[in-house]
Amino acid sequence: MTFHKNLIDGEWIGESKVPNINPSDTNDVVGEYASAGLEEAKAAIAAAKAASHSWARSGILERHAILRKTADEIMARKEELGRLLSREEGKTLAEGIGETIRAGQIFDFFAGEALRLVGEIIPSVRPGIGVEITREPVGVVGIITPWNFPIAIPAWKIAPALCYGNTIVFKPAELVPGCSWAIVDILHRAGLPKGVLNLVMGKGSIVGQAMLDSPDINAITFTGSVGTGKRVAAASIEHNRKFQLEMGGKNPFVVLDDADLSVAVESAVNSSFFSTGQRCTASSRLIVTDGIHDKFVAAMTERLKGLVVDDALKPGTHIGPVVDATQLKQDMDYIEIGRQEGAKIAFGGERLDRETPGFYLQPTLFTEATNAMRISREEIFGPVASVIRVKDYEEALAVANDTPFGLSSGIATTSLKHATHFKRNAEAGMVMVNLPTAGVDFHVPFGGRKGSSYGPREQGKYAAEFYTVVKTAYTQA
Ligand code: NAD
């Protein structure tokens, strides 16, 4: 079996091996991956620091060429990498390939951005003086990623970090090292100088913590849970470093009486259950007005009956397994909590056995839920959603916004008035009208508000805000 090592200062190193297990078939070992200790983490940080000065001064054509080559290889290998993704994370093959294409598009976008760096020249208020405003790299960027988008999230952090001239210490999630290793390998072969990109697979409590504790990391971009995000924030303030957090969600999807029922059902099924509900933008609160409530629940139940839960790589599978035993237990615990709180199961709620041993769970729909229940307030992060009945649009909007989170928010309606009002008043970073709450473009800003996010937006041109520092220079001619 191939042993995939960490990349530190341009060398592949590592001794301690961890198996990467397929959640669709726990007998299937995807590969063996290194798990770094504290000394390797420190070596990676030192290498990124040492490479920082010269990479910051690298030519834009060199950065463009490396990002472009990476994009091309990811696209050319989309089937193989998509398969690897689905095998290690459990989303369906179509979703795995789609996410891989997304990663390619992101590298392509930032390859272009490297050639479009701009500044401003403006007159000073003092005659005879010119002012230049430019963006410079931040320095060493620490990248910490979660397991649920094994290739897209690393791509949307690594690509802009390199584009704007930063060096990187990258720690992927323990559960899905495969795709991270693959894109680091591609970037390394594409010609990145040694030390510019360092991969340190390993435990959050060791490698991640070493990154948080290091004064030599100038910025940390983090996607993951609220608990870990708060640690990143506290440590970053201690070290006076820049940080960016993308965390949980409890995204609402509102269905109004005037909605097109099939648009509402397709959007809700996609939002709540595709990718096994393991998306930060998934909707777990379906807020439905009285007049359409019963029709919506009946149509949802019918639709859920037709969804195939099985091995992620099997043709015909609509929903793959939950990512691991811990996440499955969390989902089952919340299903029990929902029952005890008085919500009723309209569909699902049970584990499923398939040909291979895996973490299979029925898509689960609760009805008669209230927004005060724990299942409506806490992130479950599985294929579990609740229908909350409301009397009208005004109550729906109030319930939608009554949450500590604010990542994505959706509405199904044919009313221009309500759609417009919702776009303006939803307390979320992203608003979707007659579309699922999940599923975004790669060239526009991504992020949330309230308890979901902190710091500048990711992706598109807006990424420059995090990955650069602004300099204002005055010249008297
Ligand atoms: P997690 O917080 O457990 O882990 C995220 C990363 O942090 C992992 O790489 C982990 O190893 C690392 N980590 C753990 N302890 C650490 C420490 N002490 N110091 C530094 N790093 C440490 O999250 P997860 O379970 O991998 O991901 C699921 C969560 O991610 C969900 O809450 C989901 O909503 C969120 N998420 C958010 C977005 C978004 O953009 N808002 C996108 C995807 C996932």
mmCIF file of all heavy atoms in Angstrom, residues 418-442:
data_model
loop_
_atom_site.group_PDB
_atom_site.id
_atom_site.type_symbol
_atom_site.label_atom_id
_atom_site.label_comp_id
_atom_site.label_asym_id
_atom_site.label_seq_id
_atom_site.Cartn_x
_atom_site.Cartn_y
_atom_site.Cartn_z
ATOM 1 N N HIS A 418 -42.165 39.345 -1.722
ATOM 2 C CA HIS A 418 -41.574 38.586 -0.622
ATOM 3 C C HIS A 418 -40.116 38.209 -0.904
ATOM 4 O O HIS A 418 -39.272 38.241 -0.007
ATOM 5 C CB HIS A 418 -42.408 37.335 -0.318
ATOM 6 C CG HIS A 418 -43.708 37.666 0.361
ATOM 7 N ND1 HIS A 418 -44.889 37.017 0.079
ATOM 8 C CD2 HIS A 418 -43.998 38.599 1.303
ATOM 9 C CE1 HIS A 418 -45.856 37.540 0.823
ATOM 10 N NE2 HIS A 418 -45.339 38.492 1.569
ATOM 11 N N ALA A 419 -39.827 37.852 -2.160
ATOM 12 C CA ALA A 419 -38.442 37.498 -2.509
ATOM 13 C C ALA A 419 -37.524 38.695 -2.259
ATOM 14 O O ALA A 419 -36.440 38.561 -1.675
ATOM 15 C CB ALA A 419 -38.356 37.058 -3.964
ATOM 16 N N THR A 420 -37.965 39.873 -2.687
ATOM 17 C CA THR A 420 -37.153 41.082 -2.531
ATOM 18 C C THR A 420 -36.977 41.419 -1.046
ATOM 19 O O THR A 420 -35.873 41.712 -0.584
ATOM 20 C CB THR A 420 -37.822 42.269 -3.260
ATOM 21 O OG1 THR A 420 -38.067 41.856 -4.602
ATOM 22 C CG2 THR A 420 -36.952 43.504 -3.244
ATOM 23 N N HIS A 421 -38.070 41.336 -0.312
ATOM 24 C CA HIS A 421 -37.997 41.646 1.122
ATOM 25 C C HIS A 421 -37.078 40.666 1.832
ATOM 26 O O HIS A 421 -36.269 41.045 2.687
ATOM 27 C CB HIS A 421 -39.414 41.613 1.726
ATOM 28 C CG HIS A 421 -39.469 42.137 3.127
ATOM 29 N ND1 HIS A 421 -39.283 41.334 4.229
ATOM 30 C CD2 HIS A 421 -39.643 43.408 3.604
ATOM 31 C CE1 HIS A 421 -39.359 42.075 5.325
ATOM 32 N NE2 HIS A 421 -39.578 43.329 4.973
ATOM 33 N N PHE A 422 -37.160 39.388 1.442
ATOM 34 C CA PHE A 422 -36.344 38.350 2.089
ATOM 35 C C PHE A 422 -34.858 38.579 1.800
ATOM 36 O O PHE A 422 -34.013 38.486 2.695
ATOM 37 C CB PHE A 422 -36.789 36.965 1.587
ATOM 38 C CG PHE A 422 -36.178 35.824 2.368
ATOM 39 C CD1 PHE A 422 -36.675 35.470 3.617
ATOM 40 C CD2 PHE A 422 -35.106 35.106 1.854
ATOM 41 C CE1 PHE A 422 -36.118 34.422 4.343
ATOM 42 C CE2 PHE A 422 -34.550 34.047 2.567
ATOM 43 C CZ PHE A 422 -35.059 33.713 3.812
ATOM 44 N N LYS A 423 -34.542 38.904 0.546
ATOM 45 C CA LYS A 423 -33.131 39.151 0.191
ATOM 46 C C LYS A 423 -32.560 40.281 1.048
ATOM 47 O O LYS A 423 -31.418 40.237 1.457
ATOM 48 C CB LYS A 423 -32.999 39.525 -1.295
ATOM 49 C CG LYS A 423 -33.001 38.314 -2.206
ATOM 50 C CD LYS A 423 -32.626 38.693 -3.629
ATOM 51 C CE LYS A 423 -33.839 39.229 -4.368
ATOM 52 N NZ LYS A 423 -33.588 39.513 -5.779
ATOM 53 N N ARG A 424 -33.404 41.301 1.300
ATOM 54 C CA ARG A 424 -32.908 42.449 2.054
ATOM 55 C C ARG A 424 -32.860 42.188 3.550
ATOM 56 O O ARG A 424 -32.093 42.827 4.270
ATOM 57 C CB ARG A 424 -33.803 43.669 1.799
ATOM 58 C CG ARG A 424 -33.657 44.160 0.378
ATOM 59 C CD ARG A 424 -34.330 45.513 0.202
ATOM 60 N NE ARG A 424 -34.285 45.884 -1.213
ATOM 61 C CZ ARG A 424 -35.282 46.436 -1.868
ATOM 62 N NH1 ARG A 424 -36.414 46.704 -1.236
ATOM 63 N NH2 ARG A 424 -35.154 46.740 -3.132
ATOM 64 N N ASN A 425 -33.682 41.280 4.042
ATOM 65 C CA ASN A 425 -33.825 41.167 5.500
ATOM 66 C C ASN A 425 -33.348 39.853 6.102
ATOM 67 O O ASN A 425 -33.320 39.719 7.325
ATOM 68 C CB ASN A 425 -35.282 41.410 5.895
ATOM 69 C CG ASN A 425 -35.664 42.863 5.658
ATOM 70 O OD1 ASN A 425 -35.312 43.728 6.457
ATOM 71 N ND2 ASN A 425 -36.325 43.116 4.545
ATOM 72 N N ALA A 426 -32.964 38.881 5.274
ATOM 73 C CA ALA A 426 -32.420 37.631 5.817
ATOM 74 C C ALA A 426 -31.066 37.939 6.451
ATOM 75 O O ALA A 426 -30.212 38.579 5.821
ATOM 76 C CB ALA A 426 -32.258 36.610 4.705
ATOM 77 N N GLU A 427 -30.874 37.488 7.683
ATOM 78 C CA GLU A 427 -29.605 37.762 8.382
ATOM 79 C C GLU A 427 -28.628 36.636 8.057
ATOM 80 O O GLU A 427 -28.394 35.734 8.856
ATOM 81 C CB GLU A 427 -29.852 37.857 9.889
ATOM 82 C CG GLU A 427 -30.690 39.070 10.259
ATOM 83 C CD GLU A 427 -31.157 39.049 11.704
ATOM 84 O OE1 GLU A 427 -30.784 38.121 12.456
ATOM 85 O OE2 GLU A 427 -31.924 39.946 12.063
ATOM 86 N N ALA A 428 -28.112 36.665 6.832
ATOM 87 C CA ALA A 428 -27.202 35.613 6.373
ATOM 88 C C ALA A 428 -26.245 36.208 5.357
ATOM 89 O O ALA A 428 -26.552 37.219 4.713
ATOM 90 C CB ALA A 428 -28.004 34.478 5.720
ATOM 91 N N GLY A 429 -25.094 35.551 5.205
ATOM 92 C CA GLY A 429 -24.113 36.025 4.231
ATOM 93 C C GLY A 429 -24.527 35.728 2.808
ATOM 94 O O GLY A 429 -24.112 36.407 1.872
ATOM 95 N N MET A 430 -25.342 34.672 2.628
ATOM 96 C CA MET A 430 -25.776 34.287 1.280
ATOM 97 C C MET A 430 -27.280 34.011 1.291
ATOM 98 O O MET A 430 -27.770 33.355 2.203
ATOM 99 C CB MET A 430 -24.990 33.047 0.832
ATOM 100 C CG MET A 430 -23.503 33.374 0.687
ATOM 101 S SD MET A 430 -22.422 31.972 0.418
ATOM 102 C CE MET A 430 -22.544 31.086 1.936
ATOM 103 N N VAL A 431 -27.993 34.520 0.297
ATOM 104 C CA VAL A 431 -29.448 34.349 0.235
ATOM 105 C C VAL A 431 -29.816 33.720 -1.101
ATOM 106 O O VAL A 431 -29.303 34.132 -2.146
ATOM 107 C CB VAL A 431 -30.189 35.693 0.393
ATOM 108 C CG1 VAL A 431 -31.693 35.470 0.462
ATOM 109 C CG2 VAL A 431 -29.718 36.425 1.643
ATOM 110 N N MET A 432 -30.681 32.723 -1.060
ATOM 111 C CA MET A 432 -31.062 31.984 -2.269
ATOM 112 C C MET A 432 -32.582 32.085 -2.474
ATOM 113 O O MET A 432 -33.341 31.783 -1.560
ATOM 114 C CB MET A 432 -30.706 30.500 -2.121
ATOM 115 C CG MET A 432 -29.304 30.238 -1.608
ATOM 116 S SD MET A 432 -28.072 30.680 -2.843
ATOM 117 C CE MET A 432 -26.570 30.190 -2.025
ATOM 118 N N VAL A 433 -32.990 32.461 -3.683
ATOM 119 C CA VAL A 433 -34.416 32.529 -3.998
ATOM 120 C C VAL A 433 -34.735 31.441 -5.012
ATOM 121 O O VAL A 433 -34.145 31.411 -6.102
ATOM 122 C CB VAL A 433 -34.790 33.923 -4.555
ATOM 123 C CG1 VAL A 433 -36.268 33.960 -4.939
ATOM 124 C CG2 VAL A 433 -34.470 35.008 -3.533
ATOM 125 N N ASN A 434 -35.639 30.546 -4.643
ATOM 126 C CA ASN A 434 -36.032 29.399 -5.485
ATOM 127 C C ASN A 434 -34.827 28.535 -5.869
ATOM 128 O O ASN A 434 -34.767 27.976 -6.969
ATOM 129 C CB ASN A 434 -36.794 29.872 -6.736
ATOM 130 C CG ASN A 434 -38.116 30.517 -6.358
ATOM 131 O OD1 ASN A 434 -38.802 30.026 -5.454
ATOM 132 N ND2 ASN A 434 -38.472 31.598 -7.015
ATOM 133 N N LEU A 435 -33.877 28.453 -4.952
ATOM 134 C CA LEU A 435 -32.665 27.643 -5.128
ATOM 135 C C LEU A 435 -32.328 27.003 -3.790
ATOM 136 O O LEU A 435 -32.682 27.535 -2.737
ATOM 137 C CB LEU A 435 -31.493 28.539 -5.528
ATOM 138 C CG LEU A 435 -31.468 29.074 -6.956
ATOM 139 C CD1 LEU A 435 -30.443 30.195 -7.072
ATOM 140 C CD2 LEU A 435 -31.138 27.944 -7.932
ATOM 141 N N PRO A 436 -31.590 25.881 -3.820
ATOM 142 C CA PRO A 436 -31.153 25.291 -2.554
ATOM 143 C C PRO A 436 -30.252 26.253 -1.778
ATOM 144 O O PRO A 436 -29.589 27.103 -2.381
ATOM 145 C CB PRO A 436 -30.351 24.056 -2.995
ATOM 146 C CG PRO A 436 -30.755 23.793 -4.404
ATOM 147 C CD PRO A 436 -31.158 25.102 -4.989
ATOM 148 N N THR A 437 -30.200 26.072 -0.453
ATOM 149 C CA THR A 437 -29.323 26.931 0.374
ATOM 150 C C THR A 437 -27.854 26.618 0.104
ATOM 151 O O THR A 437 -26.980 27.434 0.378
ATOM 152 C CB THR A 437 -29.600 26.727 1.875
ATOM 153 O OG1 THR A 437 -29.523 25.327 2.181
ATOM 154 C CG2 THR A 437 -30.952 27.270 2.272
ATOM 155 N N ALA A 438 -27.573 25.407 -0.396
ATOM 156 C CA ALA A 438 -26.197 25.008 -0.713
ATOM 157 C C ALA A 438 -26.013 25.044 -2.223
ATOM 158 O O ALA A 438 -26.961 24.843 -2.981
ATOM 159 C CB ALA A 438 -25.930 23.601 -0.192
ATOM 160 N N GLY A 439 -24.746 25.266 -2.647
ATOM 161 C CA GLY A 439 -24.475 25.321 -4.086
ATOM 162 C C GLY A 439 -24.183 26.755 -4.459
ATOM 163 O O GLY A 439 -25.103 27.563 -4.612
ATOM 164 N N VAL A 440 -22.878 27.075 -4.566
ATOM 165 C CA VAL A 440 -22.492 28.468 -4.804
ATOM 166 C C VAL A 440 -21.517 28.534 -5.984
ATOM 167 O O VAL A 440 -20.953 27.521 -6.391
ATOM 168 C CB VAL A 440 -21.817 29.065 -3.547
ATOM 169 C CG1 VAL A 440 -22.789 29.143 -2.386
ATOM 170 C CG2 VAL A 440 -20.570 28.279 -3.153
ATOM 171 N N ASP A 441 -21.310 29.740 -6.506
ATOM 172 C CA ASP A 441 -20.353 29.952 -7.590
ATOM 173 C C ASP A 441 -18.948 30.154 -7.016
ATOM 174 O O ASP A 441 -18.809 30.563 -5.862
ATOM 175 C CB ASP A 441 -20.735 31.197 -8.399
ATOM 176 C CG ASP A 441 -21.942 30.939 -9.300
ATOM 177 O OD1 ASP A 441 -22.503 29.826 -9.225
ATOM 178 O OD2 ASP A 441 -22.308 31.849 -10.063
ATOM 179 N N PHE A 442 -17.918 29.906 -7.853
ATOM 180 C CA PHE A 442 -16.553 30.006 -7.345
ATOM 181 C C PHE A 442 -15.942 31.392 -7.526
ATOM 182 O O PHE A 442 -14.878 31.664 -6.999
ATOM 183 C CB PHE A 442 -15.636 28.955 -8.006
ATOM 184 C CG PHE A 442 -15.505 29.127 -9.500
ATOM 185 C CD1 PHE A 442 -14.545 29.962 -10.038
ATOM 186 C CD2 PHE A 442 -16.371 28.452 -10.357
ATOM 187 C CE1 PHE A 442 -14.435 30.121 -11.406
ATOM 188 C CE2 PHE A 442 -16.264 28.614 -11.731
ATOM 189 C CZ PHE A 442 -15.311 29.452 -12.258
#
